[in-house]
Amino acid sequence: MTRPTTTSLTALAATAVLAGAGCAQQFNEAAPSGAAYDQSPAFENQTRAPELQSGVELTQTVVAEGLEHPWGLDQLPDGSWLVTERPGRMRIVTAEGQVGEPIAGLPEVDNRGQGGLHDVSVADDFAETRRVWWTYAEPRGDGKNATAVATGTLSEDGTTMQNVERIFQQQPAWASTKHFGARIVHDGEGHIFVGLGERSDPEPRQYAQDPQSTLGKIVRIDATTGEPAGAGVEGALPEIWSMGHRNIQAAEMGPNGQLWVAEHGPKGGDELNLIEPGVNYGWPEVSYGTDYDGSQQGVEEMEGMQQPVYYWDPSPAISGMTFYDGEMFPDWQGQALIGALKSEELIRLDIQDGRVTGEDRHLQGVGRVRDVEVAQDGALMLITDHDNGQMIRITPEGAGDA
């Protein structure tokens, strides 16, 4: 693998931002996929919220490249990053862009289709414990697979994952190569939330409404042992926190300590959901999306099922989310930043009292943004999901490079 050096794209980035300013203001103009079914939002600003003013021009600096379909990243205390590659590798990338060799000791993954090695999360006390969590598509035999969660400790030299233990297995396994979900969020109380896909096909997607399955669910488990710590829903598996999800591709704790997730809809209908324990979010019975064959997918509303806080139609194919809490972008403080795969950009949402009040789009054409994180110095770090995937540092124009 090529060992890239840091490449400055300051001039190119400034040009790209200026050139993209016009198309950035057109994201609410495309016809929605659901228009044929007279779909309408349930409340004001549930979709196509007013366009925010960008307020800042952005500089892109490629920190590293040559990554094969990177999927998740998290920063280590020394400023370097743990990055996963979907084929099954985890690497350390230094702040200067040096890409390390694959870390040994990880379990086998099923990397067909959308499967492979997915999210990664570093313990807050990593400097003392060196503990790491990750999600992956686990092969279960006979072509079946499902999402699993493992934890381990990274060796002092950063070359090997030690004391590896699988602490969660999604059930049932299914012969599918799609919709693994797989984002990890810590609750600050010794548990992790895991967002799980419903495996896409018409038969397994029905399990999203089955309280005795973990397809299409968010689960909460003990971060060390995997013991169930769900919402205590009567008749449900003890790890289930919420249900009725399609394919969770983004998840993060908001500024007020509330869990937010974003998930893919079918053709249209990507959703942003504020998660409450024990709540049913509707899939596949309720959706603002259209099935891929052009038919209507479910209904817009149903009693007992929660509406999304926000939905997109057409779908940008969201992936990865963070809430900004740094110093480089003071006007963005507390706002949600969400990657987009299909539309190849960064989405910014202003959220007030649990409702979206405005949306903006940035970095049009940057690539398939798979994940986004806030770096220790307040810059943004993106990874792009390509054969030759990149880590890209985003700063305000004129801020300089670290």
Side-chain angles (χ1 to χ4, degrees), residues 86-241:
R86 190 164 49 77
R89 298 179 291 270
M90 186 184 301
R91 302 178 188 269
I92 293 176
V93 180
T94 68
E96 296 74 30
Q98 185 70 25
V99 180
E101 294 296 327
I103 294 169
L106 272 63
E108 179 186 2
V109 306
D110 186 339
N111 61 16
R112 295 175 299 156
Q114 297 172 5
L117 187 59
H118 293 137
D119 207 11
V120 61
S121 181
V122 174
D124 288 341
D125 61 354
F126 177 86
E128 292 76 39
T129 66
R130 301 194 67 79
R131 183 160 295 279
V132 178
W133 293 262
W134 62 95
T135 55
Y136 60 105
E138 180 183 52
R140 303 273 184 88
D142 298 324
K144 295 182 179 181
N145 52 39
T147 299
V149 182
T151 185
T153 54
L154 185 63
S155 62
E156 289 292 337
D157 63 4
T159 64
T160 306
M161 201 65 70
Q162 302 171 329
N163 309 309
V164 173
E165 182 180 2
R166 183 191 62 217
I167 59 174
F168 175 80
Q169 289 181 302
Q170 184 186 35
Q171 299 290 351
W174 207 268
S176 170
T177 62
K178 300 181 178 68
H179 292 194
F180 295 90
R183 291 295 180 189
I184 300 171
V185 178
H186 292 261
D187 72 350
E189 299 177 353
H191 309 102
I192 55 173
F193 294 104
V194 187
L196 301 166
E198 39 67 283
R199 312 313 314 281
S200 178
D201 296 334
E203 187 176 355
R205 77 172 59 148
Q206 306 305 319
Y207 281 89
Q209 290 295 322
D210 183 350
Q212 289 297 309
S213 158
T214 49
L215 275 63
K217 308 296 192 304
I218 295 173
V219 299
R220 188 176 76 151
I221 58 175
D222 184 279
T224 303
T225 68
E227 286 296 311
V233 178
E234 184 176 357
L237 293 174
E239 61 267 37
I240 290 177
W241 191 258

Side-chain angles (χ1 to χ4, degrees), residues 3 24 43 47 52 76 118 127 160 179 181 239 259 283 289 331 333 344 363 373-374:
R3 296 291 174 264
F43 49 84
T47 191
L52 297 169
L76 296 169
H118 293 137
T160 306
H179 292 194
E239 61 267 37
L259 177 63
W283 180 260
D331 292 341
Q333 196 69 29
E344 298 193 345
L363 306 172
E373 293 287 344
V374 180

Side-chain angles (χ1 to χ4, degrees), residues 55-402:
V56 62
E57 293 178 357
L58 305 178
T59 295
Q60 307 171 36
T61 303
V62 175
V63 175
E65 55 190 4
L67 298 164
E68 186 176 1
H69 294 283
W71 209 97
L73 79 165
D74 205 1
Q75 194 165 27
L76 296 169
D78 66 0
S80 61
W81 295 81
L82 274 181
V83 181
T84 62
E85 294 173 294
R86 190 164 49 77
R89 298 179 291 270
M90 186 184 301
R91 302 178 188 269
I92 293 176
V93 180
T94 68
E96 296 74 30
Q98 185 70 25
V99 180
E101 294 296 327
I103 294 169
L106 272 63
E108 179 186 2
V109 306
D110 186 339
N111 61 16
R112 295 175 299 156
Q114 297 172 5
L117 187 59
H118 293 137
D119 207 11
V120 61
S121 181
V122 174
D124 288 341
D125 61 354
F126 177 86
E128 292 76 39
T129 66
R130 301 194 67 79
R131 183 160 295 279
V132 178
W133 293 262
W134 62 95
T135 55
Y136 60 105
E138 180 183 52
R140 303 273 184 88
D142 298 324
K144 295 182 179 181
N145 52 39
T147 299
V149 182
T151 185
T153 54
L154 185 63
S155 62
E156 289 292 337
D157 63 4
T159 64
T160 306
M161 201 65 70
Q162 302 171 329
N163 309 309
V164 173
E165 182 180 2
R166 183 191 62 217
I167 59 174
F168 175 80
Q169 289 181 302
Q170 184 186 35
Q171 299 290 351
W174 207 268
S176 170
T177 62
K178 300 181 178 68
H179 292 194
F180 295 90
R183 291 295 180 189
I184 300 171
V185 178
H186 292 261
D187 72 350
E189 299 177 353
H191 309 102
I192 55 173
F193 294 104
V194 187
L196 301 166
E198 39 67 283
R199 312 313 314 281
S200 178
D201 296 334
E203 187 176 355
R205 77 172 59 148
Q206 306 305 319
Y207 281 89
Q209 290 295 322
D210 183 350
Q212 289 297 309
S213 158
T214 49
L215 275 63
K217 308 296 192 304
I218 295 173
V219 299
R220 188 176 76 151
I221 58 175
D222 184 279
T224 303
T225 68
E227 286 296 311
V233 178
E234 184 176 357
L237 293 174
E239 61 267 37
I240 290 177
W241 191 258
S242 64
M243 60 189 294
H245 301 285
R246 186 173 183 268
N247 188 22
I248 294 169
Q249 293 288 288
E252 187 64 277
M253 282 293 187
N256 297 326
Q258 296 173 301
L259 177 63
W260 293 82
V261 304
E263 53 192 282
H264 285 183
K267 188 178 180 182
D270 284 8
E271 294 183 358
L272 176 70
N273 285 302
L274 175 58
I275 303 302
E276 302 290 346
V279 171
N280 189 330
Y281 290 83
W283 180 260
E285 306 299 328
V286 177
S287 174
Y288 284 95
T290 302
D291 210 346
Y292 294 113
D293 63 6
S295 63
Q296 188 168 359
Q297 174 62 59
V299 297
E300 297 167 60
E301 298 183 62
M302 184 177 292
E303 186 177 356
M305 296 187 180
Q306 182 68 30
Q307 283 284 303
V309 168
Y310 199 68
Y311 71 88
W312 291 268
D313 185 6
S315 294
I318 43 74
S319 184
M321 174 168 59
T322 190
F323 286 86
Y324 190 75
D325 61 354
E327 297 181 357
M328 281 197 185
F329 300 91
D331 292 341
W332 293 7
Q333 196 69 29
Q335 295 183 347
L337 301 169
I338 304 174
L341 297 165
K342 183 178 179 180
S343 60
E344 298 193 345
E345 59 194 346
L346 183 69
I347 297 171
R348 179 168 62 97
L349 299 179
D350 184 53
I351 302 174
Q352 302 293 333
D353 299 322
R355 290 285 187 264
V356 174
T357 61
E359 177 178 0
D360 199 6
R361 307 285 181 98
H362 304 272
L363 306 172
Q364 286 75 24
V366 69
R368 288 169 49 84
V369 180
R370 176 58 75 177
D371 203 4
V372 54
E373 293 287 344
V374 180
Q376 293 164 359
D377 64 358
L380 300 178
M381 190 70 78
L382 314 180
I383 48 174
T384 59
D385 184 2
H386 296 283
D387 291 342
N388 179 21
Q390 297 179 327
M391 280 182 58
I392 304 174
R393 175 179 159 87
I394 307 300
T395 56
E397 186 180 13
D401 298 331

